């Protein structure tokens, strides 16, 4: 069923075929959505553009979320092309390696601020830019991880950053509900992606998730895509402010 038929959606966070955001882009496209897709920079473009073309993205533009001028150009293009926006999918995270792989107590101010800016504040600012275009209401969806709620070994500074992002989701949902703009976060179990490769001993995390989750499975980006497709569709019209797990049930277990 084409549950996103005619919906216009912006996807920020595709790096390559392994990206969560790519799994989501495919699900959105198959459900009938028209897409705008961004890539981080010139280095990323050759990996992202062919994927964006596969899902017939109408807008393909660079976006470094630390560059507000680039963001303004992107939203101007969306306004000119579509006149409005129905949903935004945000799957962006970064922390400098030294800070990510060290103890939280040793994190540098610079590393902390960069991780927060790219991984958390970017969602606030994208929401701010999207709001005036969501004239028919809309859906803002971001991606978090269990390490924002409980301490996960090696997740380091990304834990507090994701905790802040989850707080942001709730506050934005409360502020934007009146305009029928819904704000949620998906919390997938571990998946081997480029961002994940920065986390020390990530294979053990995958193994732990497989062994301890009730369903004894690791999840895939298309599984995340199918849940994301529901969440940005009108079928989820009363779901907002939620952190929604897709982790084969891992989060209910006391390990
Ligand atoms: P990924 O490496 O494929 O995606 C991360 C994206 O962030 C990349 O596209 C990268 O270009 C983008 N990015 C980094 N800095 C940026 C900047 N300054 N401006 C714009 N984009 C920038 O990895 P992924 O695992 O698909 O990550 C997507 C999201 O999913 C992240 O928020 C991550 O924390 C979250 N997540 C991942 C997992 C996992 O196990 N892979 C689990 C739960 C949540």
């Amino acid at each position: 069923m084409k549950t996103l038929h005619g919906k216009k959606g912006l996807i920020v966070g595709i790096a390559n075929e392994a990206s969560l955001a790519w799994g989501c882009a495919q699900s959105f496209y198959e459900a009938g959505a028209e897409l705008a897709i961004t890539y981080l920079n010139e280095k990323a473009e050759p990996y992202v553009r062919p994927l964006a073309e596969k899902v017939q993205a109408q807008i393909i533009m660079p976006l470094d979320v630390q560059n507000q001028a680039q963001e303004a150009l992107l939203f101007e293009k969306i306004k000119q092309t579509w006149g409005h926006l129905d949903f935004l999918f945000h799957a962006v995270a970064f922390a400098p390696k030294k800070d990510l792989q060290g103890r939280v107590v040793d994190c540098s101010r610079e590393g902390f601020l960069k991780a927060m800016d790219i991984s958390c504040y970017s969602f606030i600012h994208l929401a701010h830019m999207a709001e005036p275009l969501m004239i028919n209401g809309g859906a803002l969806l971001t991606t978090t991880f269990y390490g924002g709620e409980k301490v996960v070994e090696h997740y380091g500074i990304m834990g507090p950053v994701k905790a802040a992002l989850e707080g942001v989701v709730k506050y934005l949902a409360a502020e934007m509900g009146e305009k029928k703009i819904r704000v949620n976060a998906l919390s997938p179990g571990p998946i081997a992606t480029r961002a994940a490769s920065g986390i020390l001993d990530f294979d053990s995390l995958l193994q732990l998730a497989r062994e301890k989750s009730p369903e004894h499975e690791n999840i895939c980006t298309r599984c995340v895509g199918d849940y994301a497709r529901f969440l940005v569709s009108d079928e989820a019209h009363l779901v907002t402010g939620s952190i929604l797990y897709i982790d084969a049930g891992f989060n209910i277990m006391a390990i």
Side-chain angles (χ1 to χ4, degrees):
M1 206 168 60
K2 300 257 180 193
T3 52
L4 296 179
H5 180 72
K7 298 272 189 201
K8 322 288 187 206
L10 168 61
I11 301 178
V12 182
I14 300 178
N16 54 39
E17 280 192 333
S19 295
L20 251 74
W22 172 236
C24 296
Q26 291 172 90
S27 291
F28 297 155
Y29 171 67
E30 285 165 14
E34 292 164 42
L35 301 174
I37 287 179
T38 66
Y39 52 88
L40 174 58
N41 53 27
E42 276 177 23
K43 218 171 124 191
E45 186 178 0
Y47 300 96
V48 181
R49 184 173 285 280
L51 299 178
E53 285 170 354
K54 266 193 202 167
V55 293
Q56 298 184 333
Q58 293 172 5
I59 299 168
I60 307 173
M61 286 178 70
L63 179 66
D64 180 329
V65 293
Q66 292 197 293
N67 182 338
Q68 292 197 349
Q70 235 175 23
E71 215 163 75
L73 281 176
L74 169 69
F75 279 90
E76 190 48 42
K77 180 73 177 172
I78 291 172
K79 190 175 171 189
Q80 279 168 16
T81 310
W82 292 330
H84 77 283
L85 186 67
D86 295 301
F87 66 89
L88 160 71
F89 182 67
H90 171 270
V92 172
F94 178 82
K97 198 168 178 179
K98 188 170 147 288
D99 296 300
L100 178 64
Q101 297 186 348
R103 301 189 308 166
V104 171
V105 71
D106 300 325
C107 184
S108 68
R109 171 176 285 153
E110 199 191 352
F112 177 75
L113 293 177
K114 191 159 189 185
M116 272 294 211
D117 189 29
I118 294 176
S119 318
C120 180
Y121 179 73
S122 65
F123 186 56
I124 297 181
H125 199 256
L126 284 165
H128 172 80
M129 298 298 280
E131 184 180 20
L133 291 178
M134 292 194 155
I135 50 184
N136 309 314
L140 304 170
L141 184 61
T142 185
T143 40
T144 183
F145 182 60
Y146 183 61
E149 189 190 325
K150 297 273 194 258
V151 175
V152 171
E153 204 179 359
H154 300 308
Y155 201 55
I157 194 58
M158 281 313 294
V161 170
K162 290 299 193 190
L165 180 66
E166 292 179 13
V168 164
V169 164
K170 293 170 194 163
Y171 276 81
L172 295 188
E175 290 170 0
M176 300 172 97
E178 217 172 344
K179 294 187 176 170
K180 296 291 174 200
I181 299 174
R182 299 180 297 104
V183 190
N184 291 293
L186 265 179
S187 185
I191 307 182
T193 61
R194 204 173 67 193
S197 68
I199 296 165
L200 285 173
D201 208 10
F202 188 73
D203 285 348
S204 300
L205 197 55
L206 281 172
Q207 192 184 341
L208 182 72
R210 207 165 44 241
E211 284 173 4
K212 298 288 182 188
S213 63
E215 293 191 284
H216 296 296
E217 259 188 66
N218 283 130
I219 58 160
C220 63
T221 59
R222 284 307 297 263
C223 317
V224 177
D226 289 342
Y227 201 3
R229 181 192 61 208
F230 164 71
L231 289 170
V232 301
S233 79
D234 293 340
E235 288 178 324
H237 70 106
L238 292 175
V239 181
T240 194
S242 296
I243 313 301
L244 299 147
Y245 291 102
I246 174 160
D247 62 353
F250 183 81
N251 71 88
I252 65 166
M253 304 303 290
I255 304 166

